[in-house]
Amino acid sequence: MSSTENLVARYLDAWNATDAAERAAVLAEVFAEDACYTDPLVDADGRDVIDQVIAGAQAQFAGLVFTSGGPVDAHHNTARFTWHLGVPGDEPLVIGFDVAVIENDRFTKVYGFLDKVPAA
């Protein structure tokens, strides 16, 4: 597994870590202190705010798990990857992809896009 693939795997681990201390430790591995995360629903600046966003998503989607949706595509200091959110083994409820900028082996910027979301 490449360092970028490992970074993406740990990123997904952060989204699945429900223990606050464990999640904070993984976020410290994955994100620069002043990283930003942006998707259609949120614009979060800083590791602590990203942590709050993840905790909120976990509360909203309790019991669901983020998994990789396929291989990581990367070049230079940029990676893109697809993820799924759902019950393991079932059809994903949400499918998205993220584009991440990497500096010093950590994400500095992550841009999230939603390809499939449940109907309201």
Side-chain angles (χ1 to χ4, degrees), residues 48-109:
D48 292 340
V49 179
I50 294 167
D51 183 37
Q52 294 169 12
V53 167
I54 292 173
Q58 290 173 346
Q60 183 178 2
F61 299 107
L64 302 183
V65 176
F66 285 89
T67 57
S68 173
V72 176
D73 185 20
H75 62 82
H76 296 86
N77 66 333
T78 306
R80 70 175 177 163
F81 50 93
T82 302
W83 50 264
H84 296 165
L85 175 64
V87 175
D90 289 353
E91 183 71 22
L93 296 174
V94 181
I95 298 174
F97 79 92
D98 291 356
V99 175
V101 178
I102 304 165
E103 293 178 20
N104 299 318
D105 298 320
R106 286 186 170 83
F107 291 155
T108 57
K109 294 179 172 75

Side-chain angles (χ1 to χ4, degrees), residues 40-51:
L41 306 173
V42 68
D43 191 11
D45 289 323
R47 197 184 297 151
D48 292 340
V49 179
I50 294 167
D51 183 37

Side-chain angles (χ1 to χ4, degrees), residues 13-29 47 50-52 54-56 58:
D13 289 343
W15 282 90
N16 289 321
T18 56
D19 177 80
E22 176 189 354
R23 186 174 57 248
V26 176
L27 288 172
E29 274 182 54
R47 197 184 297 151
I50 294 167
D51 183 37
Q52 294 169 12
I54 292 173
Q58 290 173 346

